[in-house]
Amino acid sequence: MNRLCLILFGSPGSGKGTQAQFLKKHYGVAHISTGDMLRERVALGDTLGRRVEKMMQTGELVPDDAVNRMVDDRIACEDCEVGFILDGYPRTVSQAKWLSHRLDELGMWPMVVHLEVDYNVIVARISGRRQCPMCGTLYNLAKDPHRVACDLEGARLEIRSDDREEIVRGRLRAYDQLTAPVLAYFKDSGYPVWDVQGDGAAPEVISGRIVDLITREFKERSQAV
Ligand code: AMP
């Protein structure tokens, strides 16, 4: 099989993490989340970590050159030999341009999956979340509409401030504004970009759809050679 480079896009609450975990196991590839990598560097307190700590706290984007260099080092690691899934990267058109140039040098042709989920479903899912202020256990009113207190602590459940509907809608709008130009760049560059419906089906059904698309793409590529 050709080396896989899958770029995974999905808004908060789209199930992107679940799909990334499944695809990583299925293909035996690395899962590269730039958010996780940056959090590790902040925890380590190295030069990059210290440089980006404030930006991450405020949700500001880390400068392109720093993220590109980090990704460049990461994709050279042994566990990326079979391929890799990029999650949370690229986030800007400049990162996308750098990546496509680098992949070109490596002889790789990426595939892009955009997990689409109806925002009303995400808002309902997230804004129905309630948390125990004492032990942190999460409940969801969608599944458990009469729930008011925690089973473990007996405490009255609370809504987390970042789970409020207006905050969730704001995060989704910001995601759209950021993602749209990057997706447009990949489409215009002629890479395969697939919009995959991320709700209304079990996660394994959605994984199956993505695997089918990848299989078909590899088949077409091998026939084109
Ligand atoms: P995430 O976990 O993907 O939401 O990322 C958490 C934070 O890490 C973001 O709010 C940014 O500050 C930073 N970050 C992650 N990925 C990138 C990226 N590709 N470009 C710039 N900043 C990033």
Side-chain angles (χ1 to χ4, degrees):
M1 191 178 82
N2 291 321
R3 206 172 165 202
L4 176 71
C5 172
L6 186 74
I7 304 172
L8 198 52
F9 285 100
S11 67
S14 66
K16 180 164 59 88
T18 308
Q19 292 305 326
Q21 283 311 313
F22 170 85
L23 294 164
K24 170 192 159 110
K25 275 209 200 112
H26 185 82
Y27 289 106
V29 295
H31 171 209
I32 303 177
S33 153
T34 45
D36 286 349
M37 287 174 79
L38 289 164
R39 275 185 288 275
E40 276 166 26
R41 306 293 286 262
V42 171
L44 265 175
D46 67 3
T47 315
L48 176 65
R50 288 196 305 276
R51 185 177 162 208
V52 303
E53 189 169 7
K54 280 250 158 57
M55 300 171 195
M56 294 195 57
Q57 277 165 0
T58 55
E60 197 187 317
L61 287 184
V62 167
D64 292 334
D65 65 324
V67 189
N68 292 342
R69 216 170 314 131
M70 195 176 72
V71 170
D72 201 18
D73 291 344
R74 183 67 187 85
I75 63 179
C77 295
E78 214 181 320
D79 66 334
C80 292
E81 257 168 31
V82 179
F84 44 87
I85 299 167
L86 292 169
D87 171 357
Y89 177 89
R91 282 248 226 309
T92 63
V93 172
S94 149
Q95 290 176 12
K97 282 186 180 160
W98 179 87
L99 176 71
S100 64
H101 177 71
R102 186 73 190 104
L103 292 175
D104 209 33
E105 286 174 345
L106 294 170
M108 295 177 76
W109 186 254
M111 306 175 199
V112 182
V113 167
H114 178 216
L115 276 177
E116 282 190 313
V117 176
D118 180 342
Y119 282 178
N120 290 324
V121 173
I122 296 182
V123 169
R125 203 185 285 163
I126 299 182
S127 61
R129 258 196 328 215
R130 295 291 180 276
Q131 190 171 36
C132 171
M134 296 179 72
C135 66
T137 302
L138 285 171
Y139 296 87
N140 204 312
L141 297 185
K143 284 195 199 130
D144 200 355
H146 304 298
R147 157 106 13 218
V148 282
C150 176
D151 276 342
L152 304 173
E153 301 286 343
R156 196 177 173 80
L157 300 178
E158 292 178 351
I159 194 167
R160 285 195 329 202
S161 58
D162 58 348
D163 281 351
R164 289 186 191 283
E165 177 166 345
E166 63 278 16
I167 305 281
V168 175
R169 286 202 186 273
R171 283 204 328 247
L172 293 171
R173 263 196 308 275
Y175 168 82
D176 263 348
Q177 276 167 6
L178 210 69
T179 310
V182 181
L183 278 173
Y185 170 80
F186 284 124
K187 279 186 188 155
D188 292 347
S189 303
Y191 298 121
V193 178
W194 302 308
D195 293 321
V196 174
Q197 200 57 38
D199 57 1
E204 52 275 21
V205 175
I206 296 162
S207 309
R209 287 181 194 148
I210 299 174
V211 169
D212 284 348
L213 288 161
I214 295 173
T215 306
R216 205 176 315 148
E217 173 69 19
F218 274 134
K219 209 165 159 190
E220 278 173 21
R221 285 185 198 180
S222 65
Q223 282 163 354
V225 175

